[in-house]
Amino acid sequence: MCHLTKPLPDEGDERAGEARALGDSESVRPNASSKGRTPGSIAGKAKALIVPFKVNTKNSALLHAQMKAFSKQVPLLYFILSINALTLAWNFHGMAPLMLTVIFPIFLTGICVLRVVVWLRSSGRLMSDKEAIWRLYGVVVAGDIIGIIYLVWTFALYSYGDAYTKSLAVLFVTITTISVIFCLMHLRAAALTMMVTIAVPYSIFLIFTQDSVFSAVGVNLLLVSGAMVYIVFVVSTDFEKMINSQSETARLSDENYRLANVDNVTGLPNRRYFFHQLDRLLGCARHEKRAFVVGVIDLDGFKAINDIYGHAIGDRVLKDAGKRLKALSSETIVMARLGGDEFGVLLTDTSGTAEVMAFGERVCAALQVPFSMPGIQANVSGSAGFALYPEAGTTPEVLYERADYALNYAKGSQRGKPTVFSKSHETEIRTRSLIEQALRCADLDKELSLNFQPLFDIQRQRPVGFEALARWHHAELGAIPPDVFIAIAERTELINTLTQALLRKALAAAATWPQDIYISFNLSVRDIISPNAISGIIRVIEESGVEPTRIGFEVTESALMGDFDQAHESISRLRALGAKISLDDFGTGYSSLSYVHRLPLDTIKIDRSFVTDIETRDTSRDIIRTIVDLCRNLGIGCVVEGMETARQVAILRKLGCHTMQGYFFSKPLAQNEVVGFLTQRELVLSD
Ligand code: C2E
Ligand code: CA
Ligand code: CA
């Protein structure tokens, strides 16, 4: 099973123990428990005396560091203890009873081996603070009990030895005591307890042996013990300080890790983390031959929220969306914010398309709920695209691209719904790539042509203008629909050249028409947001000799949403020439009204989706009536497109629409049909 790592250390992580310990700022301060305590009363003084004998239970990092140090030192300690015990027993063998020279040392060594086994088994294992405290107190108590048993045994042996073996016993006990205290240096409580219960009584015992040499050793041991107490304090304090500074470094490193991997608006993992996890997941899935899913989620209409209400509200929507997505994540589902209003998701445990679709539905449903803020209710929906490994791709780039493709497909065909990348998308991509190659090699002037669809004034009962609609006929691929090749040209940056080539043709045609007939020309998003492209367009207009007042440019809302300020600037430059600006496909976007108010527009073109069902749906009728009223109030023109039947024309006429376009009047005409159409067309309108 491929696991996702967490962008933040939290419960259960290895780093978490440290992080948690550090979260408690008190606990990282050296001697936090004793800080600020003034031992005034006798009880206070007694308490202060006891403190060095206690394990510092509040400093988690220290607890775990002591455990780590002991995992190496404790086995050594018991090794020294066992070797010294066996050597001592060997020297007393034959002098003291078997009980003391064989059975007891074996018993003592057995206990030591047992303790070593216990330590070795737990070394390297993650444990809770509570367990570490228990284990450290275990070191203090067990070490002390074993020490006392060892001491009692030595006392018992002592009475059987001659002067030589007795000296040996004294030497062994002294060396053992000092080595054991050395091994326990990192845990002050254990080292001091050993000192008080073993070293001191044994020194006193030696002093009172009435043997001047042993008494001298006793005094020496006592003095050395005093010096060792000092060393224990210094070493244990330095160790604590070192651990605290290491913890601080770890905390800073955790913080850096967090900052580098978490998005600060939503609190979700960020793009960097997402792609890092995608790489890891892919490596693991390849190795384990497992499936996983990459998803891209995008908020529909978010840019409009930003434009209308400002970035602060936009951020709140993102934060809220992030919260909703986080609620859908789990051990096997990670959500991330990839940037802007785009989120990514990785699903490590899925059984196929149906399950992914069900998950996608949940995501879209969660984002469908309006985002409520004081005084504002923002309606945003979410679309999602998914790509399954290994079917959709086997590299992170391809998987992401295909999830993104599926997302764009969802956005284009079924907004607010999920789409899983499929074989048909694969075919589509292949076709698109063929078209893209063909477009790159195309002789645009030769291969491109234009059709012209009349815009009809029903009051004057005559055409007033023509919309230029691009056509591309490729020798091998045949006729390619304009929305397909325009979209490809937009992606490949060919669009600006293409626009200029088409505009040149359109204006050349318009130059042959009567002066009162205007030409309406579609601009792409990429034309509008590029000052260079606009300069090129202006040059083409100037070279054409066509009066700019006869030219209308159609721009869609999406063109304005990309970069509103630049779009505004471009529109203003075109209008300054005398050209008119029309907002195309009106009503299919989100915040149309805000653009209408903020942009210098001449006309609104109501999208044909409202006309299609105008005969059956009151809502469509109401919407058109409202837009017509709005245009009248703002003093701007209104065009309705997509008229196919006389009945639709009659209804729209009653609603106050005058300028119309659609198959009812004429399908787009070839260039050489326009003049004939202008002279022959007689319009019969039914009421
Ligand atoms: P659009 O700007 O909304 O153009 C209107 C589209 O609706 C045209 O499709 C037209 O043939 C079609 N149409 C007109 N009347 C009716 C009707 O009564 N019923 C129906 N069902 N359809 C009708 P076309 O020519 O395929 O163009 C599709 C889209 O391609 C255009 O939509 C426009 O967005 C884009 N496009 C076309 N030519 C150009 C161009 O020169 N430059 C740019 N940037 N985009 C273009
Ligand atoms: Ca148009
Ligand atoms: Ca349109």
Side-chain angles (χ1 to χ4, degrees):
M1 169 88 181
C2 302
H3 291 288
L4 296 157
T5 58
K6 292 174 184 142
L8 276 175
D10 60 14
E11 242 104 18
D13 265 356
E14 190 178 345
R15 297 163 70 100
E18 292 163 29
R20 247 179 295 133
L22 294 160
D24 174 6
S25 57
E26 269 298 297
S27 66
V28 294
R29 277 186 225 133
N31 298 322
S33 56
S34 57
K35 208 178 179 193
R37 196 176 289 151
T38 42
S41 63
I42 295 177
K45 278 180 185 158
K47 241 181 181 177
L49 274 177
I50 293 169
V51 168
F53 292 89
K54 286 167 84 176
V55 174
N56 185 347
T57 55
K58 293 197 175 155
N59 191 338
S60 168
L62 181 64
L63 285 173
H64 292 280
Q66 283 168 329
M67 283 302 292
K68 204 171 164 191
F70 281 144
S71 62
K72 290 179 204 123
Q73 288 165 11
V74 167
L76 197 68
L77 182 154
Y78 285 115
F79 175 72
I80 294 171
L81 216 56
S82 308
I83 289 293
N84 286 3
L86 293 174
T87 314
L88 196 60
W90 176 260
N91 278 295
F92 276 88
H93 193 61
M95 292 183 199
L98 273 184
M99 177 69 186
L100 289 179
T101 55
V102 179
I103 299 172
F104 208 80
I106 289 176
F107 168 71
L108 208 59
T109 310
I111 296 179
C112 290
V113 170
L114 214 71
R115 291 286 299 158
V116 170
V117 169
V118 170
W119 271 93
L120 289 180
R121 279 183 65 180
S122 64
S123 87
R125 181 168 64 79
L126 281 177
M127 58 178 71
S128 66
D129 287 5
K130 209 169 159 188
E131 194 184 347
I133 293 169
W134 271 102
R135 298 293 302 273
L136 290 176
Y137 269 120
V139 172
V140 178
V141 176
D144 212 39
I145 291 173
I146 294 170
I148 290 170
I149 295 173
Y150 189 77
L151 197 62
V152 169
W153 172 62
T154 318
F155 285 151
L157 280 178
Y158 191 80
S159 53
Y160 294 101
D162 54 19
Y164 174 69
T165 41
K166 274 182 184 169
S167 321
L168 213 63
V170 170
L171 181 72
F172 276 128
V173 174
T174 312
I175 289 176
T176 309
T177 312
I178 293 173
S179 343
V180 167
I181 291 172
F182 229 88
C183 286
L184 295 173
M185 210 63 103
H186 292 120
L187 185 62
R188 192 172 52 204
L192 290 181
T193 310
M194 281 297 239
M195 198 89 76
V196 170
T197 53
I198 316 279
V200 174
Y202 191 63
S203 306
I204 294 169
F205 165 75
L206 289 178
I207 291 168
F208 292 102
T209 47
Q210 289 166 355
D211 181 315
S212 60
V213 176
F214 289 166
S215 297
V217 173
V219 171
N220 187 255
L221 183 60
L222 207 58
L223 289 174
V224 170
S225 298
M228 294 227 354
V229 168
Y230 174 74
I231 294 170
V232 164
F233 267 95
V234 170
V235 170
S236 62
T237 309
D238 283 353
F239 182 66
E240 200 168 324
K241 272 188 195 154
M242 185 188 77
I243 296 303
N244 286 335
S245 90
Q246 271 179 3
S247 303
E248 181 60 11
T249 312
R251 189 187 67 75
L252 289 174
S253 133
D254 277 349
E255 182 61 10
N256 282 342
Y257 182 74
R258 197 188 71 80
L259 288 175
N261 288 284
V262 173
D263 168 58
N264 56 4
V265 175
T266 58
L268 284 175
N270 62 13
R271 187 180 186 88
R272 176 193 155 104
Y273 172 84
F274 178 83
F275 284 102
H276 179 63
Q277 289 301 306
L278 176 53
D279 276 344
R280 279 192 63 236
L281 207 53
L282 193 67
C284 169
R286 268 189 202 136
H287 185 67
E288 294 182 10
K289 302 214 177 335
R290 288 183 63 92
F292 73 93
V293 178
V294 181
V296 187
I297 301 157
D298 194 274
L299 301 183
D300 306 311
F302 174 74
K303 281 199 180 79
I305 302 280
N306 247 352
D307 279 348
I308 301 168
Y309 301 113
H311 287 267
I313 295 294
D315 279 0
R316 288 190 62 173
V317 170
L318 284 177
K319 206 172 171 179
D320 208 355
K323 228 187 245 170
R324 295 180 193 185
L325 294 179
K326 199 171 192 171
L328 292 171
S329 47
S330 69
E331 280 275 296
T332 57
I333 300 171
V334 70
M335 296 276 189
R337 181 176 170 221
L338 303 182
D341 57 350
E342 188 177 284
F343 296 85
V345 57
L346 297 172
L347 309 165
T348 59
D349 193 21
T350 49
S351 62
T353 308
E355 200 186 325
V356 177
M357 279 301 280
F359 173 76
E361 297 279 0
R362 285 208 299 282
V363 167
C364 296
L367 296 172
Q368 195 82 49
V369 180
F371 292 80
S372 297
M373 276 153 276
I376 298 169
Q377 177 157 306
N379 288 303
V380 176
S381 60
S383 304
F386 297 93
L388 274 65
Y389 170 86
E391 297 92 323
T394 51
T395 65
E397 295 77 22
V398 171
L399 283 166
Y400 172 75
E401 255 172 39
R402 301 208 152 171
D404 196 47
Y405 186 90
L407 168 74
N408 283 320
Y409 183 86
K411 273 178 148 345
S413 60
Q414 40 178 358
R415 233 163 234 254
K417 291 262 173 273
T419 300
V420 175
F421 188 86
S422 66
K423 282 263 173 289
S424 69
H425 296 134
E426 182 112 40
T427 318
E428 229 167 80
I429 286 184
R430 231 172 277 132
T431 313
R432 280 189 180 216
S433 115
L434 277 178
I435 296 174
E436 189 179 317
Q437 279 165 25
L439 195 61
R440 282 184 195 281
C441 308
D443 179 343
L444 297 180
D445 278 330
K446 232 164 139 187
E447 293 178 32
L448 288 176
S449 65
L450 286 164
N451 272 188
F452 298 92
Q453 189 177 29
L455 290 127
F456 233 88
D457 184 329
I458 53 159
Q459 279 183 325
R460 288 150 70 196
Q461 302 222 349
R462 68 176 190 88
V464 285
F466 287 87
E467 178 179 2
L469 294 162
R471 299 291 177 257
W472 178 31
H473 190 92
H474 186 262
E476 283 156 36
L477 300 171
I480 299 154
D483 29 16
V484 172
F485 72 79
I486 296 283
I488 292 172
E490 278 173 346
R491 273 214 313 273
T492 53
E493 319 264 317
L494 274 167
I495 189 69
N496 300 147
T497 325
L498 193 136
T499 297
Q500 287 187 32
L502 287 169
L503 184 61
R504 232 173 262 123
K505 283 176 188 280
L507 296 183
T512 64
W513 303 341
Q515 287 296 308
D516 59 343
I517 300 289
Y518 67 83
I519 173 107
S520 202
F521 186 84
N522 293 286
L523 287 183
S524 135
V525 188
R526 292 202 162 255
D527 297 321
I528 287 291
I529 58 166
S530 156
N532 280 346
I534 296 297
S535 301
I537 288 168
I538 292 174
R539 250 193 325 274
V540 173
I541 298 173
E542 286 165 352
E543 285 163 12
S544 73
V546 174
E547 195 49 52
T549 47
R550 283 181 62 209
I551 308 170
F553 286 105
E554 300 191 8
V555 292
T556 55
E557 242 183 283
S558 59
L560 310 175
M561 279 163 75
D563 182 345
F564 185 85
D565 293 335
Q566 190 49 56
H568 193 288
E569 164 79 17
S570 302
I571 288 174
S572 304
R573 285 177 70 191
L574 295 172
R575 280 189 101 232
L577 283 183
K580 307 267 188 305
I581 305 294
S582 179
L583 188 58
D584 202 1
D585 303 341
F586 187 81
T588 52
Y590 293 91
S591 58
S592 312
L593 291 182
S594 108
Y595 292 121
V596 173
H597 281 293
R598 290 164 63 192
L599 284 170
L601 297 172
D602 297 282
T603 312
I604 280 176
K605 223 170 155 184
I606 303 174
D607 191 68
R608 72 162 178 271
S609 54
F610 296 102
V611 178
T612 316
D613 52 11
I614 199 156
E615 291 167 61
T616 49
R617 271 187 78 200
D618 288 346
T619 337
S620 293
R621 223 176 283 196
D622 292 342
I623 289 172
I624 292 190
R625 187 182 293 112
T626 312
I627 301 173
V628 170
D629 287 348
L630 172 85
C631 290
R632 196 175 298 126
N633 291 338
L634 292 172
I636 58 177
C638 176
V639 176
V640 194
E641 62 179 8
M643 235 68 60
E644 290 185 356
T645 65
R647 177 106 184 93
Q648 286 170 346
V649 175
I651 295 171
L652 285 161
R653 191 184 200 179
K654 277 205 190 109
L655 290 174
C657 303
H658 305 307
T659 315
M660 301 182 191
Q661 181 187 13
Y663 292 170
F664 174 76
F665 302 100
S666 167
K667 287 212 166 183
L669 305 165
Q671 191 174 333
N672 57 12
E673 295 171 322
V674 173
V675 179
F677 178 85
L678 282 173
T679 48
Q680 286 165 23
R681 174 79 187 178
E682 264 187 34
L683 183 69
V684 184
L685 291 176
S686 59
D687 277 313

